[in-house]
Amino acid sequence: MALRCETLPLQDHRPRLLSVFSAEAYSLLAIIAVLWVGNFLYFSAFGLYDDDWWNLGAAFDMPVLATLHGRVNLMFAQGRPIQLLLQGLVGCAGASLASIPALYFITFLFSAAKSILAYFVLRLRFDAALSTAAALLFAISPLTTIRQHLNGELSAAPAYCFAFAAILLYVRGRTILAFVAAALAMLTY
């Protein structure tokens, strides 16, 4: 007996408001909760690790303009200007608040956005249960039991956001915006 995977027909892609009591709202809440517990629960005890010192920690030792000037010099040399600019801006935000936990909270927001967008991309072809399960796995991958790498997540999460936005825009017939979002994804990571 051969197994068949049946996909749902393409759905209506018009924007709609989520009801607070809808199953989709509970799915999104579950994705955010699992992301928080799996990767950011003890964010206030996290520090800077590995490449985080180079990419985000410099902002704690230098003035904002010097930090951003250093990022601008690197942006086009490495071919990912948006990633480097975002890391510089997030580093400056954490430094201006004098708070490493603020860096992790901003990173959580980016991670939540990419996970929610992943759910909506999955919903284009699959039912709510499968889309929720896949988005939950995506939200906690890679699961680290000690800490979340700021550099890694601030590199990948914005790129995923742009790529998923490109898919959603393309499906809705907004091809020019989709190509712009796809180009931004390539310039991010």
Side-chain angles (χ1 to χ4, degrees), residues 98-178:
S99 172
I100 291 175
L103 296 174
Y104 282 97
F105 187 73
I106 294 168
T107 304
F108 165 74
L109 295 176
F110 275 112
S111 297
K114 78 170 182 173
S115 300
I116 289 169
L117 287 170
Y119 171 81
F120 285 119
V121 167
L122 289 162
R123 284 292 290 141
L124 294 174
R125 295 297 288 166
F126 303 106
D127 67 333
L130 184 61
S131 298
T132 301
L136 286 169
L137 289 173
F138 182 74
I140 62 170
S141 297
L143 182 60
T144 58
T145 57
I146 301 172
R147 76 232 179 268
Q148 190 71 358
H149 287 286
L150 288 171
N151 177 48
E153 195 60 21
L154 285 174
S155 300
Y160 277 124
C161 287
F162 286 130
F164 292 151
I167 293 168
L168 293 170
L169 287 166
Y170 187 80
V171 167
R172 287 178 172 84
R174 305 220 173 156
T175 54
I176 293 174
L177 287 175

Side-chain angles (χ1 to χ4, degrees), residues 20-70:
V20 177
F21 301 108
S22 71
E24 196 163 65
Y26 289 126
S27 293
L28 296 176
L29 186 61
I31 291 165
I32 292 170
V34 166
L35 174 68
W36 179 262
V37 171
N39 287 321
F40 294 97
L41 185 61
Y42 299 108
F43 79 105
S44 62
F46 294 168
L48 296 176
Y49 306 95
D50 304 327
D51 288 341
D52 297 344
W53 281 106
W54 171 257
N55 290 298
L56 298 153
F60 285 84
D61 293 331
M62 297 168 39
V64 172
L65 291 177
T67 301
L68 293 179
H69 178 54

